[in-house]
Amino acid sequence: MKLLTLARDLQRRKGRERQHRFVAEGTRTVEGLLASGLPVTGVLVSASGLEDGRTAALVAQARDRGVQVLEVGDAELMGAADTESPQGILAVAPIPDHRLPTPMPPCARILVLDALQDPGNVGTVIRTAAALGVSATIALPGTVDLWNAKVVRGSMGALFHHPVLAMSWEDCAAQLGLAAFVIMAADTDGVNIADLRPGQVPDRVALVASNEGAGLSAHLASAVTQRVAIAMEPTVESLNVGVATGILLHALREGQYRDVSAVSS
Amino acid sequence: MKLLTLARDLQRRKGRERQHRFVAEGTRTVEGLLASGLPVTGVLVSASGLEDGRTAALVAQARDRGVQVLEVGDAELMGAADTESPQGILAVAPIPDHRLPTPMPPCARILVLDALQDPGNVGTVIRTAAALGVSATIALPGTVDLWNAKVVRGSMGALFHHPVLAMSWEDCAAQLGLAAFVIMAADTDGVNIADLRPGQVPDRVALVASNEGAGLSAHLASAVTQRVAIAMEPTVESLNVGVATGILLHALREGQYRDVSAVSS
């Protein structure tokens, strides 16, 4: 299949699943993809894209690596892109075969996305998880496709190295159970995350991030064994899911870290 | 000026400054505006908007309060709206006259936005500040207009009660100086925020949130007296500004709170 046709086909989830490929759009995202060392199928660049020095350098770098580069018209590039401003460049690449770490570190955090639908939020959450040392992110059914171009771009390249896996709740529960993960979720009636003392943060904790409006899926609610809250002013209903997840992951990491250092000192 | 013409005029910052009014778009945002008790100039609703029960209830509520309600065509409503999906309803209201709290609480956090341009990020950051008990948010020049419809909507109603003020850096520095605020900013070379012990978090702290790409403005950099960092994996360059601000504000609040409780116990 020609590169342009392929890119267009990858705009749809079905196309990505069939081709097992995704599209990285925009200068920074394509830079991240090339820097990651992942294989690249090809690069599409438009005439106006090439006018930008950074994009031109990126194209030269791709050619040096033997990656197919196709110059197309501005309208053709826009037609093949899914994000609003692809900045005249996009790359097609095979979806990396991410897996859970083996062996799992003794002290680990995993993030579970429960039906998160907004691609911008999901991208931000994955970027945050990668930055804060989360071992892997698992996307449950109902979550936007992880290889949607808006998620890829929103993750700022984190998807290229941070393990993200889509799986059913049954598979997720089985894997987390085998590795003795405690399943934790945010709940306004939970323990204030700031009050968790060293020793109260489990060595292996899976944090569930759920849809702000809908809350936890029913089958997940019964699996959650620890509920934590972020203290908030009564005038505000909720935090953005990306912000809340960032605060919780940061506090959990510090809780685990303090615990470890307390033991070793 | 007719309500429809007025709403259209308020799409531009100049129009908002001239009219000293703003537009709240979408069901949830208009609900928040009505619930806030702020005065409302008028409500525009489209025929398809009225088909939604929640929107219809909102319109009835507005009429009960004596607010002018104008039914317009779908195309007219879309033409007067700035956000992508105004859900068939928008409201025009005077911009509230937010001020810094007087007296300033002995223990207070203020958020300073340094040239933040993305309206979605600014809305999220204001919502986060309100949720985490920040006393006020100050927007410095270069920051997107706080009353931009996308900021209003992104703040999820927080703008209706959380004090937000746009001012020059000179005015901001003078006011923070008078109230003995310590000016703090995120910096990768700063002290790990998780290592700040009670007593190291100032009683009054102004946290500067800056543009992810550009970093701190030069005149601000010299005013910052405390630099803090969020420890990150080397594979990730930065966090989203909303996420980073949430983590820092949460840690600062807990630092101040722990300090106070340590003194009082």
Side-chain angles (χ1 to χ4, degrees):
Chain A
M1 194 183 286
K2 280 186 183 170
L3 196 56
L4 188 62
T5 317
L6 178 60
R8 272 200 219 105
D9 192 38
L10 299 177
Q11 289 178 322
R12 292 166 55 236
R13 184 174 193 153
K14 275 196 182 164
R16 293 190 292 272
E17 285 171 355
R18 194 171 46 227
Q19 305 283 352
H20 210 69
R21 284 189 162 78
F22 72 98
V23 179
E25 302 181 5
T27 313
R28 193 168 166 176
T29 313
V30 177
E31 275 175 358
L33 177 64
L34 283 178
S36 73
L38 289 175
V40 179
T41 308
V43 169
L44 284 179
V45 66
S46 72
S48 64
L50 279 172
E51 286 168 18
D52 175 72
R54 196 167 149 192
T55 303
L58 197 51
V59 165
Q61 193 193 332
R63 284 205 170 102
D64 280 351
R65 276 186 43 187
V67 172
Q68 181 198 354
V69 175
L70 189 66
E71 291 185 33
V72 295
D74 287 339
E76 281 177 308
L77 191 115
M78 285 303 287
D82 192 35
T83 61
E84 268 179 50
S85 50
Q87 303 169 304
I89 189 164
L90 59 80
V92 172
I95 292 177
D97 185 23
H98 285 314
R99 289 159 193 261
L100 291 179
T102 41
M104 187 64 71
C107 220
R109 282 149 285 123
I110 280 184
L111 180 63
V112 178
L113 309 182
D114 177 28
L116 287 194
Q117 282 149 16
D118 180 83
N121 276 343
V122 170
T124 301
V125 159
I126 291 170
R127 176 183 175 195
T128 306
L132 298 179
V134 166
S135 295
T137 296
I138 294 173
L140 298 181
T143 298
V144 62
D145 178 29
L146 295 166
W147 298 98
N148 172 309
K150 295 190 186 80
V151 176
V152 173
R153 194 161 182 185
S155 86
M156 293 280 190
L159 266 172
F160 304 146
H161 51 82
H162 173 72
V164 289
L165 304 90
M167 61 175 83
S168 69
W169 167 240
E170 290 70 25
D171 286 351
C172 173
Q175 300 230 31
L176 294 179
L178 274 175
F181 272 84
V182 169
I183 301 179
M184 185 182 275
D187 184 324
T188 46
D189 294 329
V191 182
N192 183 344
I193 186 79
D195 287 339
L196 278 190
R197 311 208 162 263
Q200 292 184 311
V201 178
D203 284 346
R204 288 182 174 170
V205 56
L207 177 70
V208 180
S210 59
N211 192 302
E212 288 164 64
L216 272 186
S217 301
H219 52 290
L220 260 163
S222 60
V224 169
T225 52
Q226 196 164 9
R227 286 161 198 277
V228 289
I230 298 168
M232 284 191 291
E233 298 298 309
T235 45
V236 179
E237 251 179 69
S238 66
L239 287 164
N240 165 278
V241 65
V243 174
T245 304
I247 292 173
L248 294 175
L249 288 177
H250 184 258
L252 290 174
R253 183 185 66 180
E254 297 309 318
Q256 288 184 331
Y257 173 77
R258 307 284 146 181
D259 192 22
V260 169
S261 64
V263 169
S264 65
S265 67
Chain B
M1 194 183 284
K2 280 188 182 167
L3 196 56
L4 189 62
T5 318
L6 179 60
R8 271 199 220 106
D9 193 38
L10 298 177
Q11 288 177 323
R12 291 165 57 236
R13 184 175 192 151
K14 276 197 183 163
R16 293 190 292 272
E17 284 170 355
R18 193 170 47 227
Q19 306 283 351
H20 210 69
R21 284 187 163 77
F22 72 98
V23 179
E25 302 181 5
T27 313
R28 194 170 165 173
T29 313
V30 177
E31 276 175 357
L33 177 63
L34 283 178
S36 74
L38 289 174
V40 179
T41 309
V43 169
L44 284 179
V45 66
S46 72
S48 64
L50 279 172
E51 285 170 18
D52 175 70
R54 198 169 149 189
T55 304
L58 198 51
V59 165
Q61 194 192 332
R63 285 207 171 101
D64 280 352
R65 277 188 41 187
V67 172
Q68 181 197 355
V69 176
L70 189 67
E71 291 186 33
V72 296
D74 288 338
E76 280 176 308
L77 192 117
M78 285 303 289
D82 192 36
T83 61
E84 268 181 50
S85 50
Q87 303 171 304
I89 188 163
L90 59 79
V92 173
I95 292 178
D97 185 23
H98 285 315
R99 290 161 191 260
L100 291 179
T102 42
M104 186 63 74
C107 220
R109 282 149 285 124
I110 280 184
L111 180 64
V112 178
L113 309 183
D114 178 29
L116 287 194
Q117 281 147 18
D118 182 81
N121 275 344
V122 170
T124 300
V125 159
I126 291 171
R127 176 183 175 194
T128 305
L132 298 180
V134 166
S135 294
T137 296
I138 293 173
L140 298 182
T143 297
V144 62
D145 178 28
L146 295 165
W147 298 99
N148 172 310
K150 294 189 186 79
V151 176
V152 174
R153 195 163 182 184
S155 86
M156 293 278 190
L159 266 172
F160 305 145
H161 52 83
H162 173 72
V164 289
L165 304 88
M167 61 175 85
S168 70
W169 167 240
E170 290 71 25
D171 287 350
C172 173
Q175 300 230 32
L176 294 178
L178 275 177
F181 272 84
V182 169
I183 301 180
M184 185 183 273
D187 183 324
T188 46
D189 294 330
V191 182
N192 184 344
I193 186 78
D195 287 338
L196 279 191
R197 310 209 163 262
Q200 291 183 311
V201 178
D203 284 345
R204 287 182 174 170
V205 56
L207 177 71
V208 181
S210 59
N211 193 303
E212 288 165 63
L216 272 187
S217 301
H219 52 291
L220 260 164
S222 61
V224 169
T225 53
Q226 197 166 8
R227 288 162 196 276
V228 289
I230 298 168
M232 283 190 291
E233 298 298 309
T235 45
V236 178
E237 251 178 69
S238 66
L239 286 165
N240 165 277
V241 65
V243 173
T245 305
I247 292 173
L248 294 175
L249 288 177
H250 184 258
L252 290 175
R253 182 185 66 181
E254 297 308 319
Q256 289 184 329
Y257 173 77
R258 307 283 145 184
D259 192 20
V260 169
S261 65
V263 170
S264 64
S265 67

